[in-house]
Amino acid sequence: MTIQALQKSASSIRRAAVIGSGVMGAGIAAHLANAGMRVTLLDVVPQSLTADEERQGLTLADAKVRNRLAAAAVAKMGKSQPAQLYDSSWAARITPGNLTDHLDALGEADWIVEAVVERLDIKQQVLAVIESARSPGSIVSTNTSGLSAASMAEGRSEEFRRHFGVTHFFNPPRYMKLVEIVATADTSPEVVRLLTEVCEKRLGKGVVLAKDTPNFIANRIGTYGMLVTLADMLAFGLTVEEADALTGPTMGRPKTATLRMLDIVGLDTLLHVVDNVRERSSDSAEQAVFARPALLEQLVAAGRLGEKTGAGFYRKIKGKNGSEIESLRLDTLEYGPKRPVSSPVIDASKTAKGAAGKVKALLGSDPRDRYAKFAWSTIKKTLLYAAGQVGIIADSLSDIDRAMRWGFNWELGPFELWDAIGLRNSVQRMQKEGDRVPEWVLSWLEAGNESFYRMQGDERVYAASGAYQAESAEPDTISLAALKAAGKTVFSTSGASLIDLGDEVALLEFHSPNNAIGGDILAAITRSSKEVSQNWRGLVLANDGRHFCVGANLMLLLMEAQSGDWDEVEEIIRFFQGSMLQLKRLDRPVVAAPHRMTLGGGVEACLPADQIIYSPETYFGLVETGVGLIPAGGGCKEAAAMAAHRALAASSGKPGGDLQPHLNTLFETIALAKASTSGFEVSRIGLMRPQDRVIMRQEARIAEAKRAVLALDRAGYSPPAEERIRVAGREGGAVLKVAVQAMRLSGHISKHDALIAGKLGSVLAGGDIQPGAEVSEQYLLDLECEAFLSLCGERKTQERMSHMLATGKPLRN
């Protein structure tokens, strides 16, 4: 491969090699396999035998021993939690080996990723070995969290350096969106372009271009934020719990906040990152900021490194009623019971909507409040530090914001946060308090600008070189927020909005709490069906919420069941079923694009669609049995239809194929409340249809769904006719009943589980009817409704519903 060959697209990268099978190396190898690449995973040859190898009579010359490290990493992939692979069988795409015996494999690789220990000398040695075996023109990248790319490439040939750069994946590689790409002065722009394209399009990542500075972008800003939080926690006399209560969701950041996150990362790891910045910085002020905190040094010296040693700022101990969490007492460095934190400041933030609203509420409270002072101090320092790094760690403030959102899961990057709290007023407050604000920020305000970002037409622009510049869009993405800001909302209710996607395609967005389906969403579906039929070419079902849909509004159902208002419960079910039928019968194509949690009613909202475009991180399942119910929004009816279609396909289109094996699979999936661990695994649990598919980039799902709608429309779309569904009948139901009884007798399920499963099996088989009979869709919907109503009246079902609402976890009773 030559530089000219790099003009190819990302699809030209077919074979990869990863050096280093530790946590990051194995995770990167797994995700390359997720993208369909054939991967060779190499590590060093062990220098000694394990006790198990000695018992087997193996020697250091045996391949099993020599490949042990990489082979063990591959073996763990199928069992890892969280899962590294989208499908556990894809571990077969990875070939384990060692750097001594299988070095020639590097010559076949289009892309070689070095992911060994974070030591410059060792990385330099490994890169020298890679150069001796790679083919000219192959790309080589290092996964490092902050070592100098230029230093690593020292001593390598000019051709190697042109093809070398940093691809810094965040852990775990499958789930974390950010990849920081860092080029050296010698890296070919074509290599940067191809790496960016591969990471974005093949791996589904968000790429930012970072400069070759200590710890790049996200770790640089994130580490600084952790350091000022530690310092301010002590300065304001806060407890560990108080600091985390104020630096988590109240600031638009993850629940892990600061100190819990430090425990996960490792306190010794943070010290390593701090040292790296301090030792490579020539700025005395920055060196002082990145001095080692005495508290961290004390904890590390005592072996309290966080989760990996069982204790850090928190520790988990076994109590009488299970595990209990204790927190560190900063005055004694002893542990005590974790204490709840509450105050008007925190309460105001909790009740505010959105990250911007939460932070404004936090800072807008009584300025004399200790919590408000702490929050302002930590936020102020982080904003000023980030502003001082523009042009140093990244060329644009947009890349800094994206790095913090994608790498640290902040809801708002530092400059977006600055806009949210009010740029001009906050700068005036900083100056009044004697802080030095970067000159470019003051010049920006003096020019009459009031924010770093603003909407210009339907695109977002940001502050750059004295003028607003269009923010580079992620490839193949459609922003619903931008469309709504541009006035593209057709109608909006409390639970959903219909949005114009362009090209006469509309999108129905759920935005109720947790996107749970209630009457407001069902009414919007009905209204959208009529609107789209009259004025649009098709409809997309998707949203930008944290999850697509967690199911039906369980609280509403429980309240009606507990009050014994069965007519109201039946009306809710019939409304749900009717809304789903409207989607299925719509005379325009409908494409669903779910993401993340898509459970219960969320699945039932997708199944009427002509096609489902899954994002890779889609957790899809009809899980109603977990709350003592069965699917009754058409889920059972659609499952019975799937079984019939598969039986027909298995018999090459001849009627009379065996329904039972297909019915058994779907019964097990629904009865055990199985949900997929990825979009790809929907097929494994039996809920994917032939026309459905998965795409690698979650952010591209709406654009892809829109294309699918237009393709169906161009093909001359006509809605599916109401079908007659062949069912297994009483004999098929009896087979399922025997399976339920066997599980009950073996103690695997409770008496109530057996009741639920029995009703489910009867509905899926079509009730007490002749085997092979063909029934209408409404017949199966009626069976669903009857079974659902009877289960709602069961005390143990109501207990399960109450427990799920209170704890978020299923109850087995």
Side-chain angles (χ1 to χ4, degrees), residues 285-315:
E286 185 169 62
Q287 288 174 343
V289 169
F290 282 87
R292 284 181 155 222
L295 175 60
L296 286 190
E297 288 191 309
Q298 284 179 278
L299 293 173
V300 169
R304 301 178 185 181
L305 309 183
E307 274 195 354
K308 55 188 168 186
T309 59
F313 285 101
Y314 298 93
R315 74 174 180 183

Side-chain angles (χ1 to χ4, degrees), residues 431-543:
Q431 290 178 308
K432 185 177 179 181
E433 293 172 356
D435 297 298
R436 181 181 176 277
V437 179
E439 187 57 39
W440 75 266
V441 176
L442 298 177
S443 298
W444 183 251
L445 286 170
E446 287 169 6
N449 299 300
E450 297 297 328
S451 63
F452 292 118
Y453 292 93
R454 74 179 186 193
M455 294 302 299
Q456 192 167 287
D458 59 356
E459 68 178 355
R460 192 166 81 149
V461 295
Y462 68 93
S465 302
Y468 282 108
Q469 177 177 310
E471 188 174 33
S472 59
E474 286 188 73
D476 210 21
T477 59
I478 293 176
S479 168
L480 299 185
L483 288 173
K484 288 188 284 188
K488 300 295 184 180
T489 302
V490 180
F491 73 77
S492 186
T493 70
S494 60
S497 295
L498 191 68
I499 301 166
D500 180 359
L501 291 183
D503 298 314
E504 299 177 72
V505 178
L507 177 142
L508 183 60
E509 172 200 39
F510 302 165
H511 46 66
S512 64
N514 293 317
N515 285 347
I517 296 178
D520 48 0
I521 287 180
L522 296 176
I525 289 173
T526 298
R527 182 176 173 184
S528 296
S529 298
K530 293 177 182 176
E531 166 69 22
V532 170
S533 176
Q534 294 172 1
N535 301 311
W536 303 80
R537 294 170 68 183
L539 177 67
V540 170
L541 299 174
N543 60 69

Side-chain angles (χ1 to χ4, degrees), residues 653-681:
K654 297 177 182 177
D658 189 2
L659 277 166
Q660 200 67 50
H662 309 289
L663 192 63
N664 292 349
T665 298
L666 287 161
F667 170 74
E668 180 180 312
T669 289
I670 301 171
L672 298 180
K674 290 183 180 179
S676 68
T677 60
S678 73
F680 294 95
E681 204 191 26

Side-chain angles (χ1 to χ4, degrees), residues 394-681:
D395 283 329
S396 77
L397 59 84
S398 174
D399 273 348
I400 292 175
D401 277 346
R402 285 175 166 179
M404 299 315 299
R405 292 201 315 268
W406 297 343
F408 275 71
N409 291 323
W410 290 9
E411 290 187 48
L412 298 172
F415 298 99
E416 293 166 321
L417 177 60
W418 211 333
D419 279 353
I421 65 176
L423 177 57
R424 187 173 296 277
N425 288 341
S426 61
V427 166
Q428 289 172 350
R429 180 176 175 182
M430 291 170 184
Q431 290 178 308
K432 185 177 179 181
E433 293 172 356
D435 297 298
R436 181 181 176 277
V437 179
E439 187 57 39
W440 75 266
V441 176
L442 298 177
S443 298
W444 183 251
L445 286 170
E446 287 169 6
N449 299 300
E450 297 297 328
S451 63
F452 292 118
Y453 292 93
R454 74 179 186 193
M455 294 302 299
Q456 192 167 287
D458 59 356
E459 68 178 355
R460 192 166 81 149
V461 295
Y462 68 93
S465 302
Y468 282 108
Q469 177 177 310
E471 188 174 33
S472 59
E474 286 188 73
D476 210 21
T477 59
I478 293 176
S479 168
L480 299 185
L483 288 173
K484 288 188 284 188
K488 300 295 184 180
T489 302
V490 180
F491 73 77
S492 186
T493 70
S494 60
S497 295
L498 191 68
I499 301 166
D500 180 359
L501 291 183
D503 298 314
E504 299 177 72
V505 178
L507 177 142
L508 183 60
E509 172 200 39
F510 302 165
H511 46 66
S512 64
N514 293 317
N515 285 347
I517 296 178
D520 48 0
I521 287 180
L522 296 176
I525 289 173
T526 298
R527 182 176 173 184
S528 296
S529 298
K530 293 177 182 176
E531 166 69 22
V532 170
S533 176
Q534 294 172 1
N535 301 311
W536 303 80
R537 294 170 68 183
L539 177 67
V540 170
L541 299 174
N543 60 69
D544 281 337
R546 184 180 177 193
H547 303 290
F548 176 76
C549 177
V550 298
N553 187 330
L554 196 60
M555 175 63 78
L556 176 62
L557 284 169
L558 178 60
M559 290 171 60
E560 300 295 353
Q562 288 178 332
S563 66
D565 193 345
W566 303 116
D567 289 342
E568 184 66 26
V569 176
E570 182 172 0
E571 186 176 334
I572 293 170
I573 298 167
R574 295 298 188 186
F575 190 16
F576 201 136
Q577 291 177 339
S579 300
M580 298 306 105
L581 277 179
Q582 279 187 303
L583 285 176
K584 188 167 186 176
R585 299 281 175 263
L586 186 62
D587 58 355
R588 298 287 186 268
V590 178
V591 177
H595 68 286
R596 297 184 65 83
M597 287 176 62
T598 304
L599 304 175
V603 172
E604 291 176 306
C606 291
L607 292 178
D610 298 290
Q611 188 176 26
I612 302 174
I613 306 291
Y614 294 97
S615 75
E617 299 301 339
T618 306
Y619 318 128
F620 196 83
L622 291 165
V623 297
E624 285 87 347
T625 60
V627 291
L629 299 168
I630 68 165
C636 288
K637 181 258 294 181
E638 290 296 328
M642 284 183 199
H645 295 158
R646 288 167 189 168
L648 187 64
S651 62
S652 302
K654 297 177 182 177
D658 189 2
L659 277 166
Q660 200 67 50
H662 309 289
L663 192 63
N664 292 349
T665 298
L666 287 161
F667 170 74
E668 180 180 312
T669 289
I670 301 171
L672 298 180
K674 290 183 180 179
S676 68
T677 60
S678 73
F680 294 95
E681 204 191 26

Side-chain angles (χ1 to χ4, degrees), residues 249-252 345-365 411-412 416-417 419-421:
T250 54
M251 283 189 184
V345 170
I346 293 174
D347 291 343
S349 176
K350 284 181 178 179
T351 57
K353 291 186 177 181
K358 290 181 182 300
V359 176
K360 287 172 74 173
L362 184 65
L363 298 181
S365 55
E411 290 187 48
L412 298 172
E416 293 166 321
L417 177 60
D419 279 353
I421 65 176

Side-chain angles (χ1 to χ4, degrees), residues 38-55:
R38 307 301 301 188
V39 184
T40 301
L41 179 61
L42 304 180
D43 212 315
V44 296
V45 175
Q47 298 301 303
S48 61
L49 297 172
T50 65
D52 185 54
E53 288 167 343
E54 288 179 348
R55 282 192 296 270

